[in-house]
């Protein structure tokens, strides 16, 4: 029987049913943890099942519930130092190492076919390495060591994510988690640090190409939607609220007594390396092709991303500066559509590819488009001599070893992340024939790119033609499940 909780949106933490769910749910899913530093420990369980279970129990003591996350965040706002945030994730391989049979896992993670099923289905049960052909990914044998074995097979059983604003406190927590893993007989395969980047006044997160990131997200709490409505620019025509079923699924392996209130979520993790110099040079090529001069050249990058570096949506205007607050209340097509022809924000722009906001034919209320929405919780990684906020010259920009630890939660990997990557970003024919690839994230393996068309002047589609893609490279990744606390405690 479907769990009626999943149809709810705009949750109020004090409501009794919500309270019960939040006590059992890991933090970070319905709301980002918001910390500036992270460490992720990817590990393989010891061969002995009882030892693996004991290890999960020991790690579970560190995990932050949603209830705790909200309390910590309130304490932080009133100036208190808070404990490190912690989440624990398992792969399908990890569940097997904990003694669950293939049949038990198939029943617990049903992964029903998607409404538009692209063959073959991308499944949590298989792990990410197996789905390279569908996602256009480089071969797992070329990934960084620890994410797959030399033959390209999956090796990871689980991942601990730690986050805090205090680096010394985080380093201690990472040392402590590493100690628990080692003494529990596990092998730490990868230790990956994340470090948030900010704009000059620290009001927004940036990614390494220099753009405000993390602005447009589904909201699940009433307080978060209220903030959008009253402080951040409104919720019509674009309402950010989603039902929790967009991101949560029942945790079928939770003990029966807790079943009605135990939920989890699928997590996709991808280490995406960014060639900043290559991307920013290509922006200049587009500006040259459009004959732009001076500050007007900035619009070239905005046409690739869909927003200016300061977050101003290019669909709203042809120059930056509309960032207090950064707008998100717009749709591209439909009755309130700001740009049905793609003359302001080209159809290939990253934000338009991954969130078409009304462009899909035959989807008048956007229900189909919205069903693919993901909940992004990534963080940047890598250090550089000159940060994006300090306006580096082209020669000061890195060609790699910096990027995004992309993470997103969803109720179905196939219908959400994988659909977005393969049917939208990697498809030259989405949203219409000749659109071209997403210039930011397309993985063109197996696809023949077609040069994208760029507005010229602003408002006029298809003014110039320039090919733009492939400055982001997958270095490793995996599919995880974020189990409920009652399940973790039951082992
Ligand atoms: C290094 C890789 C990436 C970079 C540099 C990047 C950059 C950005 C930027 C600058 C924005 C606009 C700000 C915002 O609304 O948050 C954005 C939005 C977004 N990105 Fe990415 N992104 C990357 C990877 C991905 C991947 C792999 C996906 C999914 C397959 C994705 C999905 C999205 C979505 C869904 C949005 C919000 C769109 C909206 O609702 O308007 N991104 N990204």
């Amino acid at each position: 029987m479907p769990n009626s909780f999943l149809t709810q949106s705009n949750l109020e933490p004090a409501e009794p049913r919500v309270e019960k769910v939040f006590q059992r749910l890991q933090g970070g899913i319905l709301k980002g943890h918001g910390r500036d530093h992270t460490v992720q420990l990817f590990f393989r369980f010891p061969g002995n099942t009882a030892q693996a279970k004991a290890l999960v129990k020991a790690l579970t003591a560190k995990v932050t519930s949603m209830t705790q996350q909200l309390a910590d965040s309130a304490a932080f706002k009133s100036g208190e130092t808070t404990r490190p945030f912690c989440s624990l994730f398992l792969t399908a391989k990890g569940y097997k190492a904990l003694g669950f049979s293939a049949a038990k896992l198939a029943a617990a993670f049903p992964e029903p076919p998607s409404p538009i099923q692209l063959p073959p289905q991308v499944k949590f049960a298989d792990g990410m390495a197996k789905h390279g052909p569908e996602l256009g990914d480089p071969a797992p044998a070329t990934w960084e060591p620890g994410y797959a074995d030399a033959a390209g097979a999956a090796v990871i059983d689980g991942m601990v994510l730690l986050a805090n604003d205090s680096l010394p406190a985080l380093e201690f927590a990472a040392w402590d988690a590493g100690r628990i893993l080692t003494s529990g007989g596990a092998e730490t395969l990868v230790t990956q640090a994340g470090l948030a980047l900010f704009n000059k006044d620290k009001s927004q997160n940036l990614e390494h190409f220099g753009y405000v990131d993390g602005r447009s997200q589904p909201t699940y709490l009433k307080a978060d939607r209220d903030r959008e409505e009253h402080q951040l620019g409104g919720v019509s025509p674009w309402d950010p609220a989603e039902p929790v079923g967009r991101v949560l699924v029942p945790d079928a392996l939770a003990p029966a007594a807790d079943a009605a209130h135990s939920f989890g979520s699928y997590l996709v993790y991808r280490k995406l390396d960014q060639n900043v110099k290559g991307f920013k040079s290509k922006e200049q090529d587009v500006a040259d092709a459009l004959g732009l001069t001076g500050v007007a050249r900035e619009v070239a990058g905005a046409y690739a991303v869909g927003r200016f570096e300061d977050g101003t949506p290019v669909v709203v205007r042809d120059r930056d500066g509309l960032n207090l607050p950064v707008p998100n209340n717009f749709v591209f097509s439909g009755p309130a559509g700001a740009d049905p022809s793609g003359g302001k924000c080209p159809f290939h722009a990253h934000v338009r590819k991954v969130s078409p906001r009304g462009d899909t034919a035959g989807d008048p209320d956007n229900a189909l488009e919205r069903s693919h929405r993901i909940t992004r919780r990534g963080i940047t990684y890598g250090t550089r001599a000159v940060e994006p906020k300090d306006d580096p010259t082209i020669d000061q920009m890195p060609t790699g070893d910096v990027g995004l630890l992309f993470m997103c939660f969803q109720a179905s990997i196939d219908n959400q992340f994988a659909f977005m990557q393969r049917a939208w970003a990697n498809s030259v024919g989405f949203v219409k024939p000749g659109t071209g690839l997403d210039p930011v994230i397309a993985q063109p393996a197996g696809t023949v790119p077609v040069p994208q068309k760029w507005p010229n002047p602003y408002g006029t589609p298809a003014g110039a033609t320039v090919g733009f893609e492939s400055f982001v490279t997958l270095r490793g990744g995996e599919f995880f499940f974020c189990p409920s606390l009652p399940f973790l405690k039951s082992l």
Side-chain angles (χ1 to χ4, degrees):
M1 198 180 65
N3 191 309
S4 63
F5 183 73
L6 295 174
T7 59
Q8 291 196 23
S9 47
N10 300 318
L11 303 182
E12 304 231 46
E15 201 258 304
R17 189 177 183 192
V18 175
E19 199 178 4
K20 286 197 181 95
V21 171
F22 281 14
Q23 284 160 355
R24 292 164 176 79
L25 183 69
Q26 292 202 45
I29 305 171
L30 298 181
K31 196 174 171 69
H33 59 69
R35 316 291 175 90
D36 298 356
H37 298 275
T38 58
V39 173
Q40 288 170 253
L41 301 169
F42 296 86
F43 62 85
R44 176 161 41 200
F45 279 129
N48 175 312
T49 305
Q51 217 185 344
K53 286 185 177 178
L55 175 57
V56 170
K57 263 208 150 128
L59 290 169
T60 301
K62 309 277 173 194
V63 171
T64 311
S65 68
M66 179 66 188
T67 306
Q68 188 65 51
Q69 181 191 352
L70 293 177
D72 283 354
S73 142
F76 183 74
K77 280 184 191 136
S78 53
E80 285 175 41
T81 315
T82 52
R83 78 200 81 192
F85 173 90
C86 177
S87 303
L88 179 58
F89 305 90
L90 296 171
T91 61
K93 185 175 165 301
Y95 275 98
K96 285 182 200 139
L98 288 167
F100 293 94
S101 66
K104 183 117 192 180
L105 292 181
F109 301 100
E111 303 193 78
S114 299
I116 303 171
Q117 186 59 64
L118 307 174
Q121 185 178 4
V122 174
K123 288 190 142 191
F124 160 72
D126 300 331
M128 186 185 286
K130 274 209 180 134
H131 284 294
E134 288 72 71
L135 301 171
D137 291 344
T142 69
W143 293 359
E144 284 180 9
Y147 286 116
D149 68 14
V155 284
I156 295 168
D157 288 329
M159 187 254 286
V160 179
L161 175 115
L162 297 156
N164 210 16
D165 286 320
S166 153
L167 193 53
L170 178 65
E171 281 168 350
F172 178 76
W175 171 82
D176 192 34
R179 183 190 56 79
I180 296 173
L181 286 168
T182 311
S183 61
E187 183 188 352
T188 301
L189 300 165
V190 180
T191 302
Q192 176 64 57
L195 172 63
L197 289 176
F198 291 94
N199 62 355
K200 274 202 163 74
D201 67 7
K202 242 198 146 191
S203 61
Q204 299 290 331
N205 279 113
L206 300 183
E207 53 68 48
H208 277 282
F209 294 146
Y211 291 83
V212 163
D213 199 7
R215 169 64 186 94
S216 176
Q217 295 276 24
T219 60
Y220 301 103
L221 270 57
K222 182 172 181 299
D224 290 336
R225 183 180 181 274
D226 284 353
R227 194 161 161 261
E228 288 285 348
E229 183 170 11
H230 303 299
Q231 295 170 36
L232 297 180
V235 295
S236 177
W238 183 252
D239 192 333
E242 292 290 341
V244 287
R246 194 70 78 220
V247 71
L248 299 184
V249 292
D251 186 347
L253 296 176
D258 289 290
H261 300 106
S262 293
F263 296 88
S265 182
Y266 294 97
L267 177 86
V268 170
Y269 165 79
R270 286 162 83 77
K271 181 172 183 180
L272 297 174
D273 212 58
Q274 292 177 247
N275 174 354
V276 179
K277 189 174 186 176
F279 189 93
K280 301 308 271 188
S281 304
K282 185 57 88 172
E283 285 183 357
Q284 297 304 318
D285 293 349
V286 174
D288 289 344
L290 299 177
L292 300 170
T293 56
V295 289
R297 293 174 69 81
E298 289 293 312
V299 80
Y303 288 152
V305 173
R307 291 180 182 266
F308 286 85
E309 290 183 358
D310 71 353
T312 303
V314 71
V315 71
V316 177
R317 66 180 207 178
D318 66 350
R319 57 197 187 287
D320 63 10
L322 207 63
N323 58 343
L324 295 169
V326 174
N328 194 39
N329 185 18
F330 58 85
V331 292
F332 297 113
S333 298
D339 185 30
S341 72
K344 298 175 186 167
C345 180
F347 291 112
H348 62 250
H350 176 55
V351 304
R352 193 159 185 169
K353 272 279 193 182
V354 294
S355 184
R357 304 193 190 201
D359 287 339
T360 307
D363 183 26
D365 55 0
N366 298 348
L368 251 181
E369 282 181 357
R370 295 184 74 109
S371 73
H372 302 298
R373 291 189 82 198
I374 54 172
T375 302
R376 291 173 298 143
R377 299 289 184 241
I379 186 164
T380 41
Y381 72 89
T383 50
R384 47 195 276 188
V386 187
E387 282 191 24
K389 71 173 168 45
D390 297 319
D391 300 323
T393 62
I394 284 275
D395 286 333
Q396 291 169 327
M397 293 175 185
T399 54
D401 293 331
V402 298
L404 183 65
L405 304 175
F406 173 83
M407 281 175 268
C408 71
F409 286 108
Q410 56 250 288
S412 158
I413 292 177
D414 188 63
N415 194 44
Q416 291 170 270
F417 162 74
F419 189 91
M420 193 175 277
Q421 181 77 52
R422 66 202 286 216
W424 288 354
N426 289 1
S427 164
V428 290
F430 183 78
V431 61
K432 52 176 74 171
T435 296
L437 299 172
D438 178 325
V440 180
I441 60 158
Q443 306 257 346
T447 315
V448 182
V450 296
Q452 299 96 333
K453 298 186 183 65
W454 306 78
N456 201 21
Y458 180 76
T460 314
T465 304
V466 183
F468 191 144
E469 68 272 322
S470 292
F471 297 102
V472 167
T473 308
L474 179 78
R475 295 270 189 248
E478 194 42 288
F479 296 156
F480 295 91
F481 190 70
C482 183
S484 68
L485 286 158
F487 163 75
L488 292 171
K489 288 176 187 164
S490 73
L491 287 174

